[in-house]
Amino acid sequence: MTLWFASGNTHKKTELAALLSGHTIKIPSEGEILDFNPPETGKTFLDNAFIKAQALYHILKEPVIADDSGLCVDALEGRPGIYSSRYGARAGNTLSASERNALLLQALADKPQRSARFVCAMVVLLSRDRFVAVQETLEGEILREARGRGGFGYDPVFYIPRLGRTVAELTEEEKNRISHRGKAARHLAALLSTDMGNSP
Ligand code: ITT
């Protein structure tokens, strides 16, 4: 099945394309749709995933997939959460990923509690009234310094104790095997391989 990805994040797209290798994942080019950037005004990851999926479906009228994800840190009462990509932004100026990581490490400097999780809500909208939605997590801890060069976003500060590595120190395959996005995509792939994936 061809699924249009309602995202501007090419890192997510690379991960998703490997995870849903039985499907074709496409991000619409500017020639196909103009300026796709729906306001993420939801209060939850799932709300925002639906907002992105419905906005793109409304334009293309073809099956779409959306991912809303982020980092929830227990010592910060779940922040940055749904605001993960905008963490530390001022007057519309967003920070780079390494600046966001530095800000997070600073916010946690005097906090002994380091537990955190990545969350990923994923929605496939097959037609206006048919969808599949899942939400998954990856548990870990926030390190005291960034480590590793792989992945994206908060991966260099997100440590997996049982592996002894940050997510940025994993290969793409290793990350996909355990990640919030990997787990969510596998649930969706399983559902799409049933009757759900057929036309009504
Ligand atoms: P789209 O909305 O266009 O999909 P985005 O990057 O703005 O792209 P989100 O609103 O879902 O996506 O924000 C997700 C942010 O959470 C992302 O920018 C990263 O900072 C962080 N994040 C999500 N998944 C991550 C992962 O696997 N590794 C590291 N950081 C991640």
Side-chain angles (χ1 to χ4, degrees):
M1 182 185 303
T2 294
L3 292 168
W4 291 97
F5 189 28
S7 175
N9 185 324
T10 51
H11 298 285
K12 285 185 183 177
K13 193 214 162 200
T14 305
E15 291 184 5
L16 206 57
L19 287 161
L20 297 177
S21 55
H23 303 272
T24 305
I25 309 297
K26 287 189 183 172
I27 290 186
S29 66
E30 277 195 24
E32 280 151 339
I33 57 167
L34 282 176
D35 202 18
F36 178 74
N37 194 13
E40 296 178 28
T41 51
K43 290 198 166 48
T44 65
F45 291 107
L46 192 58
D47 285 347
N48 284 335
F50 265 108
I51 287 172
K52 292 186 247 189
Q54 282 168 333
L56 188 60
Y57 184 83
H58 183 73
I59 300 170
L60 298 176
K61 309 281 192 303
E62 288 183 22
V64 301
I65 185 165
D67 161 317
D68 198 68
S69 43
L71 177 69
C72 300
V73 179
D74 291 330
L76 302 179
E77 285 147 6
R79 288 191 305 279
I82 59 169
Y83 303 107
S84 293
S85 63
R86 292 169 264 171
Y87 185 53
R90 289 243 171 92
N93 288 324
T94 51
L95 301 180
S96 68
S98 59
E99 287 169 337
R100 282 200 295 267
N101 285 334
L103 187 65
L104 180 67
L105 295 185
Q106 200 184 319
L108 290 175
D110 60 353
K111 310 264 190 220
Q113 186 187 20
R114 311 300 295 186
S115 56
R117 69 204 47 79
F118 277 125
V119 178
C120 174
M122 213 178 261
V123 171
V124 171
L125 200 55
L126 292 159
S127 62
R128 204 191 62 179
D129 298 314
R130 295 181 74 227
F131 65 83
V132 193
V134 294
Q135 183 163 305
E136 265 293 4
T137 57
L138 170 62
E139 296 287 332
E141 293 172 6
I142 305 302
L143 269 191
R144 292 194 175 267
E145 71 210 340
R147 267 175 33 188
R149 294 169 163 273
F152 69 98
Y154 297 94
D155 285 344
V157 295
F158 194 90
Y159 181 72
I160 316 279
R162 74 194 141 93
L163 300 180
R165 283 181 282 168
T166 67
V167 177
E169 293 174 313
L170 304 179
T171 64
E172 268 177 43
E173 293 74 30
E174 286 171 326
K175 177 177 176 183
N176 281 344
R177 219 173 291 143
I178 61 160
S179 76
H180 47 313
R181 187 164 299 104
K183 292 186 226 172
R186 279 189 293 277
H187 295 319
L188 285 184
L191 278 163
L192 291 175
S193 70
T194 67
D195 249 13
M196 188 83 209
N198 299 327
S199 302

